[in-house]
Amino acid sequence: MEIEEKFEKAEEIVLEKTRTLPPKLENVIKIAAILIGIYEILFIFNFNYTLYDLFSKMGISISPLKITFQTKQGEAFVLAMILLITYLLYPVKKKEQYLKKVPWYDYILAALGVISSMYLFFVYQRYATYAEVYMTDVIFGVMAIILVLEATRRVLGWVLPLVVVVFLLYGINNIGFNWIRFTQQLYFDEGIFGIPFFVMTIYVFAFVFFGAFLLKIGISDYITEFMISLFGSRPGGPAKSAVVSSGLMGTVSGSSVANVLTTGTFTIPLMKKAGYPPEVAGAVEPVASTGGQLMPPIMGAAAFIMAEFLGIPYNKLIIAAVLPALVYYSGVYLFIDLETKRLGLKGMPREKFAPLNYFIRKLYILLPIAVITVALVWGIPPHISAISSLGIAIWVAWISKDNIKGHEGIYVASVIITTILMFTGREIALPVTIVLILLALSLIVLSFSTKLLEFNEKLYISLLFILFIALTKYLGMRKEQILLMSGVMGIVFSLIVGYISKSEDGKKMYSATYESMIDAGKTSTSVMLAAASAGLIQGVLTMTGLVTSLGYRLIDLTAGNLWLLLVLTMIFSLILGMGVPTTANYIITSLVAAPAIYNAVLGLQPYSSPVPGFTTPIALLAAHFFVFYFGILADVTPPVALASYAGSALAGGDFWKTAMNAVKYALAGYIGPYIYFNHPEMFLITVEKWTATTALQVLYDFGATLLVMYLLAIALTGWFQKNLRKEIRAVIGAIGFAAASLHIVPVAIGVVTVVGLRLFGKKLMG
């Protein structure tokens, strides 16, 4: 009961209050959410053309499948559904009387939201041909901007819309109240439907979709429970399990607060039972959850926008983010380890956790995460990688059901074999097809002749997957087409098998599949609106030329001092992040501050050199990562610190103590960006040519950075085998900060300090 109360309290404080709608309106919301998914899959992911190609290869021509729409039209349709959901679900005020029913004006606003967005859908072909804007366009364009801002206010609060309004007022005044140009820039060309919203519809929605399914079909619960079982009986186990599970789930949830409120309901009570004070338990989870957006392969939504801004493929950004993410989580681990020892905590009894053997036997449930990692690194487009992994996730979720009979090992082998063969090229399509057909026949024979398999849901879902992929291979479909179809058809297969299922688990899978489609549409509301609003700022900056002049003003303000400029950028990003979502924060800060940082180091080596294989300067990559990090860390930085607030509510601890602990544990996130900017080789993709020397340099940088985090963890926790005296802590802290330069002298002193503590530490204890 206590856990549920904490969860409800956190949800009430942190998450947006939404209306409880009558069944008819709830169905409208569900239809709108599902329509977003259907449109995305059919026309944005080009599943309609893939289906047309499939049927054509079978000798069937279905011309309607060749219907195509411009990307802007797709964005307009998605926004129309988002505005419909927002105005029906989110009240004008959060007070109780506004939550009970939908007032007449919200019906009007919902209708106008749909009309103003769909207007672009219908007139965009005309605009794309003639590039002319009429007064009717102005009316609908301005209406759409106003409705987007009000929807953003309802979902995300006042701060972002107010910032946008300031920019809009400046913009319209700067262009002499030329409403035609205003509408063309902010409605047709950029603005609402600019790069941020484009990235959301093309890439990010696929990952929201993927994350919604992982949560509903039980894979996220498996990850959390597995990590608790793995680490729980060790000293500090519950806290360490929180770090790993939240890091894994944070990569797909994309929201620090949402992650705290899901995995935190398991991990925070366990940490308290293990002996952690509420202010420590409530801080560990937010820090771990926030880091999920920094951890490859699936980072936060801002990372996809960064790839678009920089013109660097997302799979390259994954590589660039690896070492910084490892440093972040290593820093968190070091702090937790020392805190655990300082508090004198022991592991919890093994019998309090589910048997580890069970989770090891079910390890195949993590196959979708392995698939999406391989696909992304391989260079498969991000949205196709997400959808293909979704199909595998659905399949493994079905075969993991213990109440549906069937030899688990056989089904697991089938999934793994099929997954590997799915990634093969067309040059070996025929032998792959034969292997898949033989695999399907083997399952059928085993079902007839042995008790290992039965004719039930596990067999049906497996045969559908195997035979469908065999068909696509036989027809010579391209790899990307097969991956896309496997994910989409996985949803269809799950709905069909779940609908006809007689078992309780089968019915649950049907409900989970159906509800995941709805949740994906509803969950995407906040990120879509944040992107649309931030796009308006980008549009104004471009329209007025402010995007260039602001950078130079920042350089003048800091007198060209790079480190002062970096500190100012950090402060600006953290303050902005107190009221603006991560994605919008990154967009604004990267447009304003990143060019200034780039100009400040222009001409200096290695910053002026391009990222090997691309035209993007290394300085711009480093600057964007810098603002990306601090935009995310705003979630744990007081005085607002929404993720820390959620953690303190769940733990029942003091908010300020919790938030200050979170800042301490996330120290690697605050110091790391300065180190990476000063040593851009740590992004790996910036290295021109790998030699033994460069490899040793990167290893030295990584090891020295970990040493810095270790020294600062010792200084701030005040523990190394025993409590340290204050003056000793101060000296260790100073050495740690000096070593952050990664210069050989302070790093060597740091190494000597750690060795000295181990050898002579007892004389320095307080």
Side-chain angles (χ1 to χ4, degrees):
M1 285 298 121
E2 182 184 350
I3 296 172
E4 292 175 3
E5 288 170 8
K6 303 292 185 196
F7 179 81
E8 288 170 6
K9 183 180 177 184
E11 188 176 48
E12 181 182 348
I13 294 171
V14 179
L15 298 182
E16 304 84 11
K17 289 185 179 180
T18 56
R19 292 187 179 109
T20 302
L21 299 173
K24 287 185 179 179
L25 285 181
E26 187 62 40
N27 287 335
V28 171
I29 297 291
K30 290 178 180 178
I31 291 169
I34 290 173
L35 282 175
I36 293 174
I38 291 174
Y39 190 97
E40 286 266 357
I41 288 169
L42 279 176
F43 302 114
I44 293 180
F45 302 162
N46 291 324
F47 185 68
N48 60 324
Y49 263 104
T50 303
L51 273 182
Y52 176 81
D53 198 17
L54 175 70
F55 285 120
S56 294
K57 290 179 183 295
M58 296 169 65
I60 305 169
S61 179
I62 306 178
S63 297
L65 289 174
K66 294 173 69 177
I67 294 174
T68 184
F69 298 104
Q70 298 276 357
T71 303
K72 280 280 198 298
Q73 290 177 290
E75 293 173 39
F77 180 86
V78 170
L79 182 63
M81 296 301 103
I82 292 292
L83 292 176
L84 175 64
I85 292 171
T86 300
Y87 283 109
L88 292 181
L89 205 54
Y90 292 84
V92 67
K93 293 182 180 179
K94 306 301 183 186
K95 294 180 180 178
E96 195 63 36
Q97 62 264 34
Y98 294 98
L99 296 170
K100 294 178 181 177
K101 66 175 184 178
V102 182
W104 60 269
Y105 53 81
D106 275 352
Y107 287 113
I108 294 174
L109 291 174
L112 291 175
V114 173
I115 292 167
S116 61
S117 294
M118 291 304 293
Y119 178 80
L120 180 71
F121 183 92
F122 290 110
V123 304
Y124 190 76
Q125 289 284 15
R126 181 260 298 168
Y127 174 77
T129 304
Y130 301 106
E132 294 180 354
V133 178
Y134 306 105
M135 281 310 298
T136 310
D137 301 333
V138 172
I139 292 169
F140 283 101
V142 172
M143 185 194 304
I145 290 170
I146 293 170
L147 289 166
V148 164
L149 291 176
E150 168 58 12
T152 305
R153 183 197 67 79
R154 294 188 181 202
V155 177
L156 300 171
W158 281 98
V159 178
L160 179 57
L162 282 176
V163 173
V164 176
V165 167
V166 170
F167 275 92
L168 290 176
L169 292 175
Y170 172 83
I172 191 63
N173 180 68
N174 182 270
I175 62 174
F177 292 89
N178 185 335
W179 292 101
I180 296 290
R181 184 181 170 193
F182 182 85
T183 303
Q184 183 172 19
Q185 179 75 10
L186 301 181
Y187 183 62
F188 283 103
D189 291 343
E190 292 186 30
I192 294 174
F193 304 109
I195 289 177
F197 201 81
F198 166 82
V199 172
M200 289 297 158
T201 53
I202 298 292
Y203 301 125
V204 175
F205 182 81
F207 289 90
V208 172
F209 209 55
F210 179 61
F213 272 85
L214 290 197
L215 288 170
K216 283 290 182 183
I217 63 182
I219 292 179
S220 63
D221 289 343
Y222 167 82
I223 291 172
T224 303
E225 292 169 18
F226 179 27
M227 293 303 111
I228 289 171
S229 177
L230 186 63
F231 294 105
S233 60
R234 302 177 185 182
K240 292 167 185 174
S241 69
V243 172
V244 180
S245 61
S246 297
L248 284 171
M249 280 314 300
T251 62
V252 293
S253 74
S255 168
S256 307
V257 176
N259 202 23
V260 171
L261 292 175
T262 49
T263 57
T265 55
F266 291 96
T267 58
I268 289 176
L270 271 177
M271 282 188 268
K272 289 176 68 179
K273 285 181 182 178
Y276 288 97
E279 290 78 15
V280 173
V284 171
E285 181 61 46
V287 171
S289 295
T290 299
Q293 295 183 69
L294 309 171
M295 176 62 76
I298 312 170
M299 299 154 73
F304 293 93
I305 296 174
M306 191 199 305
E308 199 70 25
F309 278 175
L310 292 174
I312 295 176
Y314 182 72
N315 66 323
K316 298 296 181 184
L317 283 188
I318 291 173
I319 298 169
V322 167
L323 289 186
L326 289 176
V327 167
Y328 179 87
Y329 274 103
S330 297
V332 176
Y333 183 90
L334 289 169
F335 268 101
I336 290 171
D337 188 55
L338 290 173
E339 284 279 28
T340 301
K341 292 172 181 175
R342 182 181 66 82
L343 294 167
L345 302 180
K346 305 296 182 184
M348 296 178 69
R350 172 78 257 178
E351 57 270 16
K352 286 188 175 289
F353 308 105
L356 187 58
N357 288 340
Y358 172 81
F359 294 104
I360 293 173
R361 180 166 58 85
K362 299 283 186 182
L363 200 59
Y364 62 87
I365 291 177
L366 298 180
L367 183 62
I369 295 176
V371 169
I372 202 169
T373 303
V374 171
L376 286 170
V377 173
W378 203 342
I380 302 293
H383 58 293
I384 294 178
S385 300
I387 297 300
S388 65
S389 301
L390 172 59
I392 302 301
I394 289 171
W395 192 358
V396 298
W398 271 103
I399 66 173
S400 69
K401 302 301 178 187
D402 292 322
N403 293 330
I404 302 176
K405 293 182 179 179
H407 191 281
E408 201 165 28
I410 294 174
Y411 282 119
V412 171
S414 301
V415 174
I416 293 173
I417 292 168
T418 306
T419 302
I420 293 170
L421 295 178
M422 187 169 63
F423 277 87
T424 56
R426 283 191 282 186
E427 63 277 3
I428 56 169
L430 185 58
V432 166
T433 303
I434 294 170
V435 171
L436 289 170
I437 291 173
L438 290 174
L439 179 60
L441 289 173
S442 299
L443 295 181
I444 294 170
V445 169
L446 286 171
S447 301
F448 272 116
S449 59
T450 71
K451 293 183 179 180
L452 294 173
L453 305 180
E454 294 184 11
F455 281 90
N456 58 26
E457 295 91 331
K458 286 186 180 180
L459 179 64
Y460 303 147
I461 201 83
S462 298
L463 289 176
L464 285 169
F465 266 104
I466 294 167
L467 292 174
F468 181 76
I469 293 169
L471 173 65
T472 58
K473 284 290 182 183
Y474 175 74
L475 294 174
M477 304 293 287
R478 289 184 294 108
K479 187 194 312 177
E480 286 80 4
Q481 291 178 314
I482 295 172
L483 292 173
L484 176 62
M485 283 193 291
S486 69
V488 177
M489 295 309 296
I491 298 171
V492 175
F493 296 158
S494 187
L495 289 172
I496 292 171
V497 174
Y499 184 77
I500 64 173
S501 175
K502 303 296 183 184
S503 69
E504 191 65 30
D505 280 343
K507 292 175 183 175
K508 285 180 180 177
M509 276 298 295
Y510 173 81
S511 298
T513 307
Y514 169 69
E515 289 168 9
S516 296
M517 297 171 67
I518 296 168
D519 282 359
K522 290 167 69 174
T523 304
S524 65
T525 301
S526 58
V527 291
M528 293 286 187
L529 289 173
S533 295
L536 288 168
I537 295 175
Q538 182 192 13
V540 171
L541 289 171
T542 306
M543 180 175 66
T544 60
L546 199 61
V547 67
T548 303
S549 60
L550 272 178
Y552 287 117
R553 288 177 191 176
L554 278 172
I555 293 174
D556 292 340
L557 183 65
T558 57
N561 186 301
L562 174 62
W563 297 106
L564 183 58
L565 180 59
L566 290 175
V567 171
L568 191 66
T569 301
M570 176 189 74
I571 294 170
F572 174 68
S573 186
L574 291 175
I575 291 174
L576 188 64
M578 292 175 188
V580 172
T582 301
T583 305
N585 186 353
Y586 164 74
I587 293 167
I588 296 167
T589 314
S590 65
L591 290 170
V592 174
I597 297 171
Y598 165 66
N599 287 325
V601 295
L602 200 60
L604 300 177
Q605 288 296 336
Y607 301 106
S608 56
S609 301
V611 175
F614 304 94
T615 58
T616 307
I618 288 174
L620 210 53
L621 173 73
H624 275 257
F625 259 101
F626 188 87
V627 300
F628 172 69
Y629 255 70
F630 286 111
I632 289 170
L633 286 169
D635 282 346
V636 294
T637 307
V640 178
L642 289 178
S644 297
Y645 203 44
S648 67
L650 281 172
D654 178 78
F655 165 70
W656 281 102
K657 290 180 181 178
T658 302
M660 294 312 296
N661 278 334
V663 170
K664 183 168 67 175
Y665 302 154
L667 192 63
Y670 293 97
I671 295 176
Y674 290 94
I675 297 175
Y676 315 139
F677 190 90
N678 199 36
H679 298 273
E681 65 273 9
M682 290 187 72
F683 292 121
L684 302 179
I685 64 170
T686 54
V687 176
E688 178 89 37
K689 185 179 179 182
W690 282 98
T691 63
T693 303
T694 54
L696 287 172
Q697 179 64 51
V698 171
L699 284 173
Y700 168 80
D701 292 344
F702 181 62
T705 305
L706 292 182
L707 175 67
V708 169
M709 301 312 158
Y710 190 36
L711 289 167
L712 294 176
I714 293 169
L716 290 173
T717 58
W719 178 269
F720 192 90
Q721 298 176 346
K722 287 187 178 180
N723 285 316
L724 295 172
R725 296 201 301 267
K726 288 183 180 179
E727 62 271 21
I728 300 301
R729 292 173 61 182
V731 170
I732 293 172
I735 294 170
F737 278 112
S741 67
L742 302 196
H743 190 279
I744 187 67
V745 174
V747 169
I749 293 172
V751 172
V752 171
T753 301
V754 173
V755 174
L757 283 172
R758 289 198 173 275
L759 296 176
F760 311 108
K762 291 183 180 180
K763 297 179 181 179
L764 304 174
M765 308 304 172

